[in-house]
Amino acid sequence: MAFGIGSGLMRLGMVSTSDHSSVVSMNLFVALLCACIVIGHLLEENRWMNESITALAIGLCTGIVILLTTGGKSSHILVFSEDLFFIYLLPPIIFNAGFQVKKKKFFRNFMTIMLFGAVGTLISFGIISVGAIQLFKNFDIGSLEIGDFLAIGAIFSATDSVCTLQVLNQDETPLLYSLVFGEGVVNDATSVVLFNAIQNFDLSHINTTVALEFIGNFFYLFITSTMLGVLAGLLSAYIIKKLYFGRHSTDREVALMMLMAYLSYMLAELFYLSGILTVFFCGIVMSHYTWHNVTESSRVTTKHAFATLSFVAEIFIFLYVGMDALDIEKWRFVSNSPGKSVGVSSILLALVLVGRAAFVFPLSFISNLAKKSPNDKIGFKQQITIWWAGLMRGAVSMALAYNQFTMAGHTQLRGNAIMITSTITVVLFSTVVFGLMTKPLVRFLLPPSKNFSSMVSSEPSSPKSITIPLLGNGQDSEADLGGHDIPRPTSLRMLLATPSHTVHHYWRKFDDSFMRPMFGGRGFVPFVPGSPIEQSVHQWQ
């Protein structure tokens, strides 16, 4: 993935040594990235700020300086490219999220996450699209077709999972984090699939057949993308387990894991699947199998390498979005009617608020009906937090808007320019305002309980969290229960009564009997010189 970013920048002509201005631009941008990291560290304990808002603020300030120095001709150092974002910056973010996720909470709430991420996104998409069609009639914003309005629904249904990851804490609010984070990943994938489907389908003749084809295409993309990610993860685990690269070079292990992860994403893009879902599930499988098959030093290296790549990509995205928000070319088209741009942005923000509320509260009610334990149910205060935390719109919305309404980042149509500037306004407002208020809102609605430390101890933090079995739920494992007899379902009725525990039980039996002996994992790798069981200290004796 690191090679991908570098090659992408070279392909865009940004780091050519023969072009001195490009070298100057890259120096300035790298210096700004360093400034974001330093200032973000100094503001780490601030209850209001986070890395995303810091990068946005620095990007805005830099854009103002560039505008002043260039006489109002430009506001950014680099030129935005959807390829740069989707092919080089997004994969490390999503992969690291899957690699570091606490699988216990994620899979325990898998059905709720799918409800929010898939069904909820479709509900939000419908409300935003219909609302835009009805309300934009009063604004003279140019000729927008039905496909443009549907694209607007997909663009503003995409939540900003990157900013959400930085606002919520995985240890303080594990349930909320798993729900909002998991929904964000599925939501992004659903929005991209919707957007691509809108561009590929003939929307001039919408009927039942087209609708069924659209739904079938969505489920096909979701299932095949997930399976491709799982297969890529299992293949990497099998290769590393059989060949034991670490006996000779840990660099090969680390390189193979990185390249296999990136290959899974690119294969998904090659076959027109959802690369987001593919690389996310590839990260989950790699953390469960592949990570245990490498040497101790490779484990530490991969954990920090993936986290570092993800962190730099996140800062890169928000820094650029901040600078691009002041692009004079786009704002020139709406300078004669600023009130119209404000009105369109306000309508879009209202539709985002209504669209999210329309599925969070009803789907939470439906999810609670299927849960027996009160601790597993989503309380009203938690529902408010989920609704609020998912209001932020970010880089995915920006990239989709550029794809729909511009050509290579430029537009000469007034209606398209209004939609781009409105998207920028919504992204900035939602990220800054909603982002600033999310941390205080979480602390007000859900203050840390006195037994917080005991709750955290039930699932240790990374990197130990990566060693938790897939679909495991901590104290429910047979080993932790001291070998006591556990009543197991013996009929379909009992299976439906306790589905999560039953699925976990049978998955563990299948994983222990078949998957781990073949693909490796904790406790199933034999001791050989240079194997993962050998402690790294032995390598230095």
Side-chain angles (χ1 to χ4, degrees):
M1 284 179 278
F3 298 124
I5 296 176
S7 63
L9 294 176
M10 292 181 68
R11 184 174 61 83
L12 294 172
M14 298 176 189
V15 292
S16 174
T17 55
S18 61
D19 188 351
H20 185 263
S21 62
S22 297
V23 176
V24 173
S25 298
M26 282 307 303
N27 274 278
L28 289 174
F29 203 87
V30 173
L32 288 173
L33 288 174
C34 295
C36 289
I37 294 173
V38 173
I39 296 175
H41 171 73
L42 296 176
L43 297 175
E44 186 175 9
E45 299 302 326
N46 190 287
R47 63 180 295 184
W48 300 97
M49 298 296 290
N50 58 64
E51 300 281 356
S52 302
I53 298 175
T54 302
L56 275 175
I58 294 177
L60 285 169
C61 294
T62 305
I64 294 173
V65 173
I66 296 174
L67 274 176
L68 295 175
T69 56
T70 59
K73 295 181 180 179
S74 177
S75 67
H76 44 69
I77 301 172
L78 306 179
V79 178
F80 184 85
S81 168
E82 296 90 42
D83 289 341
L84 176 64
F85 172 73
F86 279 109
I87 297 181
Y88 304 118
L89 296 178
L90 192 60
I93 296 173
I94 301 300
F95 175 81
N96 184 66
F99 195 75
Q100 303 285 0
V101 70
K102 294 189 176 182
K103 296 181 287 292
K104 177 183 73 173
K105 285 291 183 182
F106 180 81
F107 284 100
R108 177 180 289 179
N109 300 287
F110 186 74
M111 294 307 299
T112 304
I113 289 171
M114 291 305 302
L115 269 178
F116 285 170
V119 179
T121 303
L122 292 174
I123 295 173
S124 179
F125 161 75
I127 290 176
I128 295 175
S129 298
V130 173
I133 293 173
Q134 298 298 322
L135 297 176
F136 284 0
K137 292 178 180 179
N138 302 324
F139 294 86
D140 181 20
I141 58 175
S143 58
L144 295 181
E145 301 177 352
I146 182 66
D148 294 322
F149 288 110
L150 294 178
I152 290 171
I155 289 168
F156 290 98
S157 295
T159 62
D160 184 13
S161 57
V162 174
C163 193
T164 301
L165 293 178
Q166 297 179 355
V167 171
L168 295 178
N169 186 289
Q170 189 166 199
D171 293 324
E172 292 180 1
T173 54
L175 175 62
L176 283 180
Y177 185 94
S178 63
L179 288 177
V180 177
F181 157 71
E183 178 223 335
V185 174
V186 179
N187 168 281
D188 287 345
T190 306
S191 299
V192 174
V193 169
L194 280 172
F195 186 82
N196 292 335
I198 290 167
Q199 293 187 322
N200 296 330
F201 275 81
D202 181 13
L203 300 174
S204 59
H205 302 87
I206 300 178
N207 51 40
T208 306
T209 304
V210 173
L212 291 176
E213 288 180 0
F214 184 86
I215 296 173
N217 184 56
F218 169 75
F219 283 105
Y220 164 77
L221 288 175
F222 184 89
I223 295 173
T224 51
S225 300
T226 302
M227 292 306 299
L228 178 59
V230 171
L231 291 175
L234 291 177
L235 179 61
S236 68
Y238 186 80
I239 292 174
I240 291 179
K241 177 177 180 291
K242 289 297 182 182
L243 299 182
Y244 285 115
F245 291 97
R247 285 180 295 182
H248 306 290
S249 172
T250 58
D251 296 339
R252 293 172 184 169
E253 290 181 324
V254 176
L256 187 63
M257 286 187 68
M258 288 185 172
L259 292 174
M260 287 292 291
Y262 189 66
L263 179 62
S264 70
Y265 184 89
M266 294 310 300
L267 283 175
E269 294 297 317
L270 177 65
F271 295 114
Y272 302 101
L273 303 175
S274 172
I276 295 176
L277 279 175
T278 297
V279 77
F280 174 70
F281 281 98
C282 179
I284 290 180
V285 174
M286 277 193 175
S287 72
H288 186 59
Y289 295 111
T290 313
W291 193 76
H292 296 282
N293 296 342
V294 299
T295 58
E296 192 71 22
S297 58
S298 294
R299 295 183 192 179
V300 177
T301 303
T302 52
K303 175 185 179 295
H304 291 290
F306 292 140
T308 301
L309 288 172
S310 173
F311 176 75
V312 173
E314 292 171 7
I315 301 302
F316 187 106
I317 290 170
F318 283 102
L319 181 61
Y320 182 84
V321 169
M323 286 188 288
D324 191 62
L326 299 175
D327 186 6
I328 196 68
E329 177 188 328
K330 303 179 184 68
W331 290 103
R332 186 182 294 118
F333 286 93
V334 299
S335 59
N336 296 328
S337 54
K340 185 174 297 184
S341 179
V342 173
V344 172
S345 302
S346 301
I347 289 175
L348 289 173
L349 271 172
L351 290 175
V352 168
L353 290 165
V354 174
R356 184 158 183 83
F359 76 82
V360 168
F361 298 104
L363 294 183
S364 296
F365 176 77
I366 295 174
S367 176
N368 289 339
L369 292 178
K371 296 180 179 179
K372 303 295 182 181
S373 173
N375 295 329
D376 293 333
K377 294 186 177 181
I378 308 171
F380 183 69
K381 292 183 177 180
Q382 292 175 318
Q383 294 176 29
I384 295 177
T385 306
I386 293 171
W387 169 70
W388 185 268
L391 291 175
M392 288 172 280
R393 298 296 180 264
V396 174
S397 296
M398 287 282 292
L400 294 179
Y402 273 84
N403 187 288
Q404 179 70 20
F405 297 109
T406 70
M407 291 294 293
H410 302 283
T411 179
Q412 299 297 327
L413 299 177
R414 182 169 175 272
N416 290 353
I418 290 177
M419 292 312 306
I420 290 294
T421 54
S422 299
T423 303
I424 292 172
T425 303
V426 171
V427 168
L428 287 178
F429 184 87
S430 62
T431 301
V432 175
V433 177
F434 298 155
L436 283 174
M437 297 180 64
T438 299
K439 280 186 178 179
L441 182 68
V442 171
R443 293 183 181 182
F444 174 74
L445 293 177
L446 305 168
S449 57
K450 295 181 179 179
N451 60 343
F452 170 69
S453 59
S454 63
M455 293 170 61
V456 174
S457 64
S458 66
E459 184 179 9
S461 59
S462 298
K464 293 183 179 180
S465 63
I466 300 180
T467 65
I468 294 178
L470 189 64
L471 286 179
N473 52 5
Q475 70 275 13
D476 292 335
S477 65
E478 295 175 5
D480 294 338
L481 291 171
H484 296 294
D485 293 333
I486 305 173
R488 299 296 180 189
T490 56
S491 65
L492 180 62
R493 181 178 180 182
M494 296 182 69
L495 174 66
L496 296 175
T498 56
S500 62
H501 293 81
T502 303
V503 171
H504 165 251
H505 169 66
Y506 287 113
W507 163 254
R508 287 294 303 275
K509 290 182 64 176
F510 175 75
D511 193 29
D512 292 345
S513 302
F514 178 75
M515 297 297 289
R516 290 192 187 183
M518 176 173 289
F519 298 106
R522 184 177 55 176
F524 280 92
V525 180
F527 176 84
V528 294
S531 73
I533 298 179
E534 184 182 27
Q535 298 297 321
S536 61
V537 68
H538 294 163
Q539 300 176 7
W540 303 100
Q541 290 179 349

